Amino acid sequence: MQRELVERARSGDLEAFSDLARDSLTRLYAVATLILRDPYRAEDAVQEALLHAWKSMHALRDPDAFEAWLQRIAVHACYKAAKKERRRVSVEVREVPDPATPGERDPAEWVGDREQLFEAIGRLPLDQRAVMVVHYYLDLPLAKAAEILDIPVGTAKSRLHHGLTALRRSVRDETVTVPSQAGEGAA
Amino acid sequence: MTKERMLEREIHEVLDERAPQAPPNHLLQSFEFNARRTRRYPRWLALIKEPTMRTDSHLVVGSPTARLAAIVLATMLLAAGVIGASFAGARLLAADGPTVVDANGDGHYETIQEAVAAAVDGDEILIKPGRYQGGVDVGVDVVIRGEDRDGVVVEAGIGCAAPDDPFAAADCPDDPPLYRATWFAAKPYAFLLDETEAELSDLTLELGVGGVIARGGAPNIHDVTIAASPNDGFAYIYVHDGSAATISDSDLGVAVVFFEERSPATIERSSVDFVIANTGNTTRTGGPSTIRDNTTFGIRFNGEAVVEGNTIIAAPQDASEVVIEALSSDGWIIRDNHIEGFSGGTAIAAGPVGTGTISGNTLIDNQLAMDLGSGDHEVSDNTIRGGQAGISINGGSAQIADNDVEGVAGRGIAIEFSAGPTLSGNRSCGNGDNLWVADSAQPEIDETNEICEDDATE
């Protein structure tokens, strides 16, 4: 069914293309929002990706690769939108209860502090965040993620590694010692 | 489970939780609308343009052969062009010093368009004093600079409107008559900066109907004068299609500056008739625009604009404007502006929906200083003097703090039906009615407010 839709879309059938796009739209928009952290810019990026794919349908050789190709175009559109963006980024320093032994925070303590983790992901450089989103949110093996991101597998591994390291360090650096309360703090 | 695996699981779950569950309803419809107006690439061009993609070593997108052939062909054509141009004596590669345009024939070119057509990214084009024809299309990242801001005059472009067009310049030639289907069909602009980071400066634009168009890109327009045209016309700077244009240090006269189609553009330290930012979008926010430290007669915007430090003094014919108007959007800031003399108009108006910040403004002798819609705005540290009415709150739960209202003939602070604002630290004295509260309003007014004795609540 998808192959038939792709063939019709390649021939200029906009309705067929829209049917294809509709199936992928939720994931595309989610990926763009998680990468760009802004629903309006994500909307722009997805629009641009769909238009680009529509214009370039003749370049698609394998109909089964449509969704992966569309995701790649969407990621590129996110990069482009991020370049255009001019924002003042403020980093919030959060106070968290100081663990009993100061030092690197145990990743196990991420559990339950998801707001902080999400914000830390948002502070990662764009290329590291993109790898995280494509690998973890889309649940793709790193090799597939690298195809979508249009980078070598080694580069994808490297960016993922640096991203995870940065996440751990980010939480450690933002830990501020506050008067501990009885019974609280990690052992 | 190892710590690393726990962290990865957390990341997976956080992203899952925080991902939007559905796209906006209009997204696909907007795409279909735009797609119908978009021309698709022919097969050969699509194969060349689209970067190749492989899945499991299997080529699924593009054609490396076609791209290689295109590169080889382009190289051969370029080489042929270089050889041909060197025989003709023309400049193809960047030479020492700028490219000089001189209408008297003493430069490299006599027209600006010729110089731009021959330019590559990074070139500088210096325009000698004189009058030049507009309608210049700029698609490269060049610096275009007048040698003398007042002496270099660029006229509007070619083409005229239909005789019944209200914007037609009075001296359009009739023979042959040129008509246009849209404003831009016959190049009425002086410059079109198209997907470029070009710089345009130190010259005067003499415009009847026309202006500068920035489409996409991030051009930099500075130290430019728009001269009043001898004909009645409509001068503009039209920034659109997501352009991050910057306009600065310019005297734009009677021009209107438009930021459209979500353009995150900036205009600062300039004098301009009116700035209209992203108002065409009613379903999505625009910008973010920055409108800062200008002298203007009015600003209207939609989106995450920052509007600060502007000075807006009413001319007699403009006394009935809404001076700064925030339409239905969130996240905007109107800060530290000075608005004075709009005896028949409203200084700052926030639309019926949307939420923003209004702070540090000085509003003097306006008919209505502040007309707040139903948004939950933050309104603080504003100074209001004179005029007919101070702050009018029409709904919502605005935070009104530390404002100073005095000398208003009517109501200093008016809380209309069903509004539920919070007031703290405000001063309202010496007004006709220092605080007016409608029966159905439910404000929270604490003891930190100084409401002078001649208030009257109903």
Side-chain angles (χ1 to χ4, degrees):
Chain A
M1 176 67 172
Q2 168 149 341
R3 291 183 73 93
E4 186 192 321
L5 284 174
V6 170
E7 293 297 343
R8 281 169 50 198
R10 267 210 289 234
S11 308
D13 185 339
L14 179 58
E15 201 177 310
F17 185 93
S18 292
D19 287 342
L20 288 168
R22 192 175 295 113
D23 290 341
S24 305
L25 205 54
T26 301
R27 269 187 306 282
L28 282 181
Y29 180 67
V31 164
T33 305
L34 290 172
I35 291 175
L36 291 172
R37 311 286 287 198
D38 182 317
Y40 301 111
R41 273 182 273 275
E43 206 177 305
D44 271 353
V46 171
Q47 280 276 343
E48 188 175 321
L50 291 176
L51 275 173
H52 178 100
W54 170 243
K55 286 197 291 187
S56 308
M57 274 300 287
H58 283 304
L60 180 64
R61 290 167 168 265
D62 182 354
D64 292 333
F66 175 79
E67 175 146 2
W69 177 54
L70 190 56
Q71 284 167 355
R72 185 179 82 161
I73 296 172
V75 169
H76 279 294
C78 289
Y79 281 130
K80 196 173 156 189
K83 266 172 89 172
K84 269 190 189 177
E85 171 190 334
R86 292 197 298 184
R87 302 170 61 170
R88 295 188 201 114
V89 177
S90 59
V91 178
E92 292 178 10
V93 177
R94 296 173 139 260
E95 291 189 7
V96 297
D98 192 22
T101 52
E104 180 163 344
R105 188 174 183 190
D106 190 332
E109 291 180 11
W110 283 111
V111 178
D113 200 352
R114 294 195 172 178
E115 181 66 31
Q116 195 176 0
L117 176 58
F118 186 66
E119 291 192 8
I121 294 170
R123 288 194 293 271
L124 292 175
L126 183 70
D127 54 356
Q128 293 174 13
R129 190 161 71 243
V131 171
M132 289 226 170
V133 169
V134 174
H135 179 50
Y136 291 118
Y137 173 69
L138 290 178
D139 219 3
L140 293 174
L142 213 47
K144 292 289 182 195
E147 283 171 5
I148 286 174
L149 293 163
D150 203 14
I151 55 177
V153 175
T155 304
K157 285 183 183 172
S158 169
R159 288 180 187 174
L160 185 65
H161 169 73
H162 286 305
L164 290 171
T165 304
L167 284 181
R168 285 188 221 103
R169 194 176 299 133
S170 170
V171 174
R172 183 194 65 214
D173 288 349
E174 289 176 3
T175 299
V176 174
T177 302
V178 296
S180 61
Q181 297 179 16
E184 290 189 5
Chain B
M1 187 184 292
T2 65
K3 294 174 187 175
E4 188 78 13
R5 296 291 292 164
M6 288 176 73
L7 175 59
E8 290 185 304
R9 187 192 70 183
E10 281 294 300
I11 294 169
H12 179 86
E13 290 177 2
V14 159
L15 292 175
D16 246 350
E17 282 170 18
R18 300 303 289 259
Q21 299 306 306
N25 291 333
H26 59 265
L27 188 51
L28 195 58
Q29 285 172 337
S30 296
F31 155 71
E32 288 169 349
F33 176 77
N34 289 318
R36 282 188 196 97
R37 300 187 300 169
T38 298
R39 186 175 295 176
R40 303 195 331 153
Y41 298 133
R43 180 177 163 79
W44 64 269
L45 186 57
L47 286 171
I48 290 172
K49 281 177 73 75
E50 191 64 15
T52 56
M53 179 176 177
R54 294 178 188 277
T55 302
D56 300 324
S57 303
H58 164 59
L59 181 67
V60 297
V61 173
S63 170
T65 309
R67 282 166 76 89
L68 182 61
I71 290 168
V72 168
L73 181 62
T75 305
M76 288 169 60
L77 287 172
L78 179 61
V82 168
I83 292 168
S86 67
F87 279 116
R91 275 177 76 250
L92 269 187
L93 301 175
D96 295 334
T99 302
V100 176
V101 177
D102 190 330
N104 298 318
D106 292 331
H108 297 100
Y109 300 97
E110 290 186 22
T111 70
I112 303 172
Q113 184 67 82
E114 287 178 306
V116 169
V120 296
D121 288 352
D123 278 359
E124 183 182 351
I125 297 172
L126 178 67
I127 308 172
K128 291 288 192 179
R131 298 190 73 87
Y132 297 86
Q133 181 66 55
V136 179
D137 296 323
V138 182
V140 287
D141 297 343
V142 292
V143 172
I144 301 173
R145 179 170 62 85
E147 188 177 74
D148 172 1
R149 179 171 174 173
D150 295 326
V152 174
V153 179
V154 181
E155 298 173 345
I158 60 174
C160 297
D164 59 352
D165 188 316
F167 298 128
D171 61 351
C172 276
D174 290 325
D175 183 22
L178 296 174
Y179 297 97
R180 56 188 173 198
T182 68
W183 280 8
F184 312 123
K187 302 180 69 170
Y189 46 81
F191 290 94
L192 167 60
L193 308 173
D194 197 354
E195 293 286 352
T196 174
E197 294 182 7
E199 188 176 325
L200 181 67
S201 73
D202 297 292
L203 43 77
T204 293
L205 305 178
E206 195 172 281
L207 306 170
V209 178
V212 176
I213 300 172
R215 178 163 62 200
N220 182 3
I221 304 164
H222 64 91
D223 297 291
V224 164
T225 298
I226 290 183
S229 167
N231 308 303
D232 287 334
F234 181 56
Y236 56 80
I237 296 186
Y238 184 65
V239 176
H240 75 116
D241 202 6
S243 177
T246 301
I247 304 163
S248 63
D249 302 298
S250 293
D251 179 0
L252 303 178
V254 299
V256 176
V257 173
F258 295 90
F259 296 161
E260 289 291 333
E261 297 167 351
R262 319 273 313 280
S263 293
T266 297
I267 177 166
E268 57 188 354
R269 300 186 304 276
S270 296
S271 65
V272 57
D273 192 54
F274 215 92
V275 179
I276 301 176
N278 297 302
T279 57
N281 299 288
T282 55
T283 58
R284 300 177 296 178
T285 58
S289 318
T290 302
I291 305 167
R292 175 190 296 139
D293 298 328
N294 302 288
T295 303
T296 176
F297 290 120
I299 298 169
R300 185 166 301 136
F301 66 90
N302 194 357
E304 297 172 13
V306 174
V307 180
E308 64 181 352
N310 299 284
T311 298
I312 311 171
I313 311 290
Q317 67 271 23
D318 295 317
S320 61
E321 288 286 340
V322 173
V323 182
I324 298 183
E325 186 172 14
L327 297 176
S328 306
S329 57
D330 293 322
W332 44 263
I333 297 173
I334 301 174
R335 175 171 60 204
D336 300 327
N337 300 283
H338 181 109
I339 305 172
E340 182 173 343
F342 288 83
S343 58
T346 302
I348 296 176
V353 295
T355 300
T357 300
I358 303 173
S359 70
N361 300 283
T362 301
L363 312 174
I364 299 178
D365 294 331
N366 304 289
Q367 183 188 48
L368 171 57
M370 224 179 272
D371 185 358
L372 305 178
S374 304
D376 297 338
H377 309 299
E378 292 183 13
V379 181
S380 65
D381 299 298
N382 298 284
T383 300
I384 297 170
R385 295 286 183 269
Q388 297 300 311
I391 303 176
S392 174
I393 306 158
N394 298 305
S397 303
Q399 307 285 318
I400 314 291
D402 303 313
N403 299 283
D404 185 351
V405 185
E406 183 177 330
V408 170
R411 296 168 181 167
I413 299 176
I415 304 174
E416 303 285 350
F417 40 83
S418 303
T422 302
L423 274 66
S424 63
N426 300 284
R427 177 180 171 274
S428 182
C429 292
N431 305 296
D433 185 343
N434 289 309
L435 176 63
W436 181 86
V437 181
D439 283 344
S440 58
Q442 295 181 326
E444 290 182 23
I445 305 174
D446 66 27
E447 64 276 9
T448 64
N449 294 285
E450 181 187 347
I451 309 296
C452 290
E453 283 181 6
D454 55 345
D455 67 329
T457 57
E458 294 181 12

